[in-house]
Amino acid sequence: MTLQLVRTDTEIVVSDGAVDLFRYVILPDSPQLESPKPYIDPIRTRAGRVVSLFRPWDHVWHKGIAWSLPVVDDENFWGGPTYVGDRGYLQLPNDGTQSHVAVIDCTIEHGVAKFSHDLEWITQDGRRMFTERRTLTARVLEDTAWALTFQTAMTNVTDATIAIGSPTTKGRENAGYGGLFWRGPRSFTDGRLVTADGTGTGADVRGQRHEWMAYEGRHDVVDATSLVVMADAVDNPHHPPQWFARSEEFAALNPAPFFSEELDVAVGDTVVFRYAVGIADADAGDAARIAGELRSLL
């Protein structure tokens, strides 16, 4: 099947026949509290089953798949409150914006849909911290699976080193979230996390280091299982990453490069991260095979 790509001023949609595989919103209408940022939602399998969740009531800043950073120096590009040491979470005037600047590429060649654009990271008080070049691609992997790749190149445009971290680097144990973050449907709650070492709950695997991790979830209404697989590029900083994963409260998967160690980005330096995500009408037994296919894309 040949993919189709449709672009408007605010979003792109990539389709596989009659199924819209995903929508990437480049100009969101999110309130400042939610740190406005581009996001990917809804996300569907090739069979048309939705495997993402947008703006859940418990964390309204979660939006399908998004590149979200809760600790950038003292700024928050995640949304909502900021963790402040022994004071806990406080709602501060520091929810920044990832602002779309210009489209660089929007094409389909040899069965691969590609979209690239430039962004600026602007603090809530109006300071520019990073410029970014972001590129997404999509392609069919097999009859039951397709792959999304995500690359970001962020350049420090301030006059000082920027430290990127997480609530854990600020003192909250086992809360190292930040980076490419996926939130799954409500029906995926209590699903299975899959690694090369086996399966378990979010509590079992959270904080572990792996090159890839997957989430197996079940859908309401239909008797079907879907699988989301995320793989980290070997040249990403802090590879293999620790993972922030949840299943008991809600479904979430996040290769978290700043889980327990900050990354310093010097003035003028560019930091690059690359990921591949597999979306499949499959189950836990298919995770390792799909992860292998994803690694070939990184």
Side-chain angles (χ1 to χ4, degrees):
M1 181 67 68
T2 301
L3 298 183
Q4 300 89 40
L5 190 159
V6 176
R7 172 190 158 199
T8 69
D9 290 339
T10 60
E11 65 185 35
I12 67 162
V13 175
V14 174
S15 302
D16 175 15
V19 175
D20 291 344
L21 295 180
F22 71 93
R23 177 183 64 153
Y24 179 53
V25 177
I26 59 176
L27 289 175
D29 59 0
S30 307
Q32 198 65 49
L33 178 72
E34 298 170 22
S35 285
K37 53 190 167 288
Y39 62 85
I40 306 167
D41 181 86
I43 305 166
R44 296 182 175 89
T45 69
R46 295 197 73 195
R49 297 177 182 122
V50 174
V51 296
S52 61
L53 186 62
F54 174 75
R55 204 173 180 271
W57 59 262
D58 49 37
H59 297 79
V60 293
W61 42 88
H62 291 179
K63 294 177 169 64
I65 290 178
W67 179 247
S68 302
L69 303 181
V71 177
V72 181
D73 283 345
D74 294 324
E75 305 303 321
N76 181 341
F77 288 90
W78 173 273
T82 297
Y83 187 77
V84 185
D86 57 7
R87 301 173 65 194
Y89 281 97
L90 301 175
Q91 185 57 57
L92 304 175
N94 69 340
D95 289 314
T97 299
Q98 299 172 32
S99 180
H100 166 73
V101 175
V103 173
I104 303 304
D105 193 5
C106 186
T107 58
I108 294 183
E109 293 183 359
H110 308 297
V112 178
K114 181 180 180 181
F115 179 78
S116 181
H117 66 139
D118 285 343
L119 305 97
E120 292 181 328
W121 290 54
I122 310 296
T123 65
Q124 189 166 338
D125 62 5
R127 292 175 293 112
R128 191 173 68 148
M129 297 191 78
F130 289 104
T131 57
E132 180 191 0
R133 172 69 56 87
R134 182 179 299 182
T135 301
L136 283 68
T137 72
R139 74 200 74 201
V140 171
L141 285 180
E142 53 189 59
D143 288 345
T144 58
W146 66 276
L148 169 78
T149 69
F150 180 98
Q151 176 174 302
T152 174
M154 298 172 61
T155 301
N156 178 354
V157 293
T158 73
D159 58 3
T161 296
I162 296 173
I164 306 175
S166 73
T168 291
T169 66
K170 295 298 185 182
R172 187 185 174 203
E173 185 178 355
N174 210 23
Y177 53 83
L180 194 66
F181 188 91
W182 166 78
R183 176 70 187 258
R186 292 286 181 190
S187 69
F188 280 26
T189 303
D190 295 325
R192 286 199 292 175
L193 275 300
V194 190
T195 74
D197 299 327
T199 62
T201 67
D204 293 330
V205 304
R206 190 161 52 251
Q208 291 182 2
R209 291 189 181 273
H210 296 281
E211 293 193 350
W212 62 268
M213 192 176 287
Y215 196 107
E216 178 199 71
R218 296 198 65 83
H219 296 276
D220 290 330
V221 183
V222 295
D223 183 18
T225 297
S226 291
L227 190 72
V228 175
V229 187
M230 301 181 79
D232 192 77
V234 296
D235 52 354
N236 282 351
H238 299 165
H239 176 85
Q242 291 177 271
W243 287 75
F244 185 84
R246 286 199 181 278
S247 60
E248 300 88 346
E249 299 159 0
F250 52 79
L253 198 56
N254 166 217
F258 325 105
F259 193 108
S260 59
E261 182 182 358
E262 290 185 342
L263 178 69
D264 291 333
V265 185
V267 177
D269 280 1
T270 299
V271 60
V272 177
F273 288 93
R274 294 183 297 121
Y275 302 93
V277 183
I279 309 296
D281 296 291
D283 57 28
D286 301 297
R289 185 191 77 255
I290 293 173
E293 295 183 64
L294 296 177
R295 297 215 60 78
S296 70
L297 304 178
L298 293 171

